[in-house]
Amino acid sequence: MAFSLFRYIPKIIVFALSYLLVQFSYADVMEGLYSSTQPVVSQQTRDRGPAFNAALKQVLTKVSGNPEIFEQAGLLERFYPAEKYVISFAYLENPEFASYQQQLATGDSGVMDSSIDNHHTSNKPLSAVSLNAPPLPFLLKVEFSEKAIEKDMTAYGLSIWGSVRPSIQFWVVAETDGQRQLLGKSNPHVFMEYMHKDALRFGIPVTFPEADMLDLQNTSLSGLWGLFPDALDQAKSRYSSDGQVILKLYNTYSNAWSANWYLTIAGTRYSGSMADADLAQLSEQTLRSISRILAERFAIKPNEKLNNTVVQIEVTEINSFKDYADVQGFLRLLAPVKRLVVNWVEGKVVSFTVNLNTDADKFFEYILLSGKLKRVEISAAVNVLPIPVTVVTGVQAVEPAPEPY
């Protein structure tokens, strides 16, 4: 028997969201939150255990978004041995070790010059040689159980940050010898490489501008140097990101650097600074601070999970089964979503009931950051005669009423 899609709506006001036909997303889905790759000296069992523990520590940092959780006395020991969470692992050859051996054979020290004047040579891969430590010959790639880790994190009172995370664009102005430059894709520097590496450690989607003539025309280096957010009003419209960081980087003495940064996201502003450090330390500390800020705002805290908030939403502009599947998949990825139920489908509109493990405000903040959905105003629904509902392959369809004689 054929089914037609009708609905019965009680007389209430529901939240309506429009699915954006232009398919770009601000917030990113971070892959690999529950995996980590660690360098190891051998493939022997004795070296595997410590590598598992180091990999788990990195995963806990990414999932919580807050590296300072390890300041809690004895916290890590509660998770160890990490092997109990491991679902798979594999050994790989470390390409940095091969590069290191080649450098030794040719007499090249491989140490990268971190001066701004030599930034065009900084697109060489980062190696442990540049950090004054020889690389190890193997990499151990470890995959952990998401369910088991989240269960224990909740039991130990740790917040959990979902895989949908705000994207952050860095506008870095570096000064050396009185000259200022905007760093970016067309003007790379080793500091960007450090930041990309640290962004993966903390699970933050980080991007840089093109730093080309168009960017320079749409902003001013002096405005960025002064950490004025309105200096980006025109330039940032070229890019899709949830937040912007303006960072000024300058020499203090010898090879020491200092930095000041200013983060703007969702109408809130934060700032920070660090002095007299090398570029690797500046990158690590900056990303550490920003990760902590974002996790505090967006991660789901253990006490919030006691909530049982329920919202009903209607999503419009669903033009195909792919749109329908994409919206469901996206909503289920959001950290605040505990359970998602399809109520009905009619034409281009799908209705969901969403059980949340936090308050509705945080849920809609995630929606806003996503760039996939926008909130629209609707009026109170009108009463429609109830119609029997039958669930068909996850979509609530209804059987039409008999034709009158």
Side-chain angles (χ1 to χ4, degrees):
M1 179 178 293
F3 291 96
S4 60
L5 300 179
F6 295 91
R7 59 179 170 134
Y8 166 70
I9 309 176
K11 194 171 184 179
I12 59 175
I13 296 177
V14 298
F15 296 106
L17 304 170
S18 178
Y19 185 59
L20 298 183
L21 299 180
V22 180
Q23 293 305 305
F24 63 86
S25 174
Y26 288 175
D28 288 341
V29 177
M30 289 299 296
E31 304 289 347
L33 288 180
Y34 293 85
S35 65
S36 176
T37 301
Q38 297 294 318
V40 289
V41 68
S42 77
Q43 299 185 30
Q44 300 298 316
T45 304
R46 66 175 182 270
D47 298 315
R48 192 180 303 155
F52 281 162
N53 289 346
L56 179 61
K57 183 177 180 181
Q58 184 180 34
V59 165
L60 293 174
T61 298
K62 290 190 292 184
V63 175
S64 69
N66 184 8
E68 294 182 359
I69 60 173
F70 305 119
E71 294 178 2
Q72 300 180 31
L75 176 64
L76 274 175
E77 285 68 21
R78 300 181 190 180
F79 287 92
Y80 292 163
E83 188 170 1
K84 63 187 175 184
Y85 300 105
V86 174
I87 56 177
S88 66
F89 66 90
Y91 287 98
L92 307 169
E93 292 186 359
N94 188 351
E96 292 186 355
F97 181 73
S99 175
Y100 169 67
Q101 288 183 310
Q102 183 177 8
Q103 290 167 5
L104 290 179
T106 59
D108 182 2
S109 66
V111 177
M112 287 192 288
D113 187 345
S114 62
S115 70
I116 299 297
D117 293 334
N118 290 293
H119 63 274
H120 290 296
T121 66
S122 66
N123 56 3
K124 295 187 296 183
L126 279 173
S127 71
V129 182
S130 64
L131 302 179
N132 300 318
L136 300 179
F138 301 102
L139 298 175
L140 178 62
K141 185 176 182 179
V142 191
E143 187 76 28
F144 294 99
S145 167
E146 176 179 348
K147 184 176 181 180
I149 288 179
E150 289 195 0
K151 178 182 176 182
D152 283 353
M153 287 181 70
T154 300
Y156 299 148
L158 301 179
S159 299
I160 297 174
W161 194 6
S163 59
V164 177
R165 302 190 171 190
S167 58
I168 307 298
Q169 186 159 42
F170 275 80
W171 297 79
V172 181
V173 179
E175 181 183 77
T176 183
D177 298 329
Q179 299 295 316
R180 296 171 185 170
Q181 299 183 52
L182 176 64
L183 305 187
K185 296 176 183 177
S186 63
N187 191 29
H189 183 261
V190 65
F191 182 66
M192 295 167 55
E193 298 185 39
Y194 286 128
M195 296 208 78
H196 279 306
K197 189 174 182 179
D198 289 327
L200 292 176
R201 286 180 53 204
F202 295 115
I204 305 175
V206 165
T207 61
F208 291 88
E210 291 293 334
D212 55 9
M213 289 302 298
L214 182 58
D215 282 337
L216 294 175
Q217 290 171 3
N218 289 336
T219 187
S220 70
L221 290 183
S222 59
L224 295 178
W225 189 256
L227 303 181
F228 296 121
D230 56 2
L232 291 176
D233 285 349
Q234 187 174 354
K236 68 183 181 182
S237 62
R238 183 184 181 187
Y239 304 96
S240 298
S241 61
D242 299 298
Q244 290 80 34
V245 173
I246 304 175
L247 186 149
K248 67 176 184 180
L249 185 68
Y250 53 97
N251 274 118
T252 46
Y253 59 87
S254 185
N255 289 324
W257 294 81
S258 293
N260 300 83
W261 54 266
Y262 198 95
L263 164 67
T264 305
I265 183 168
T268 307
R269 296 173 178 176
Y270 308 87
S271 62
S273 62
M274 187 177 178
D276 301 334
D278 62 34
L279 292 178
Q281 291 171 327
L282 285 178
S283 170
E284 196 273 342
Q285 288 298 322
T286 299
L287 269 299
R288 175 184 291 265
S289 297
I290 291 175
S291 177
R292 186 176 65 251
I293 289 169
L294 297 176
E296 177 64 27
R297 182 162 182 174
F298 297 108
I300 306 302
K301 300 174 178 61
N303 61 326
E304 290 182 309
K305 291 192 172 184
L306 299 176
N307 293 341
N308 191 26
T309 306
V310 179
V311 297
Q312 183 179 340
I313 62 174
E314 293 180 11
V315 182
T316 67
E317 303 303 326
I318 302 298
N319 297 300
S320 65
F321 182 79
K322 182 179 184 303
D323 291 346
Y324 169 78
D326 285 348
V327 167
Q328 283 197 78
F330 165 73
L331 290 172
R332 287 195 169 99
L333 279 175
L334 300 181
V337 175
K338 182 162 50 178
R339 184 168 179 263
L340 182 72
V341 176
V342 179
N343 299 323
W344 47 259
V345 180
E346 180 186 5
K348 295 183 179 182
V349 184
V350 182
S351 171
F352 298 97
T353 295
V354 188
N355 292 75
L356 305 175
N357 53 25
T358 183
D359 58 74
D361 289 340
K362 182 169 284 189
F363 169 67
F364 284 108
E365 190 164 35
Y366 268 83
I367 293 292
L368 177 65
L369 286 173
S370 73
K372 283 184 177 292
L373 302 170
K374 68 177 180 180
R375 193 163 169 175
V376 296
E377 296 296 329
I378 64 168
S379 59
V382 297
N383 285 324
V384 182
L385 290 177
I387 303 173
V389 175
T390 303
V391 178
V392 180
T393 61
V395 180
Q396 289 191 340
V398 294
E399 189 171 357
E403 292 290 336
Y405 292 102

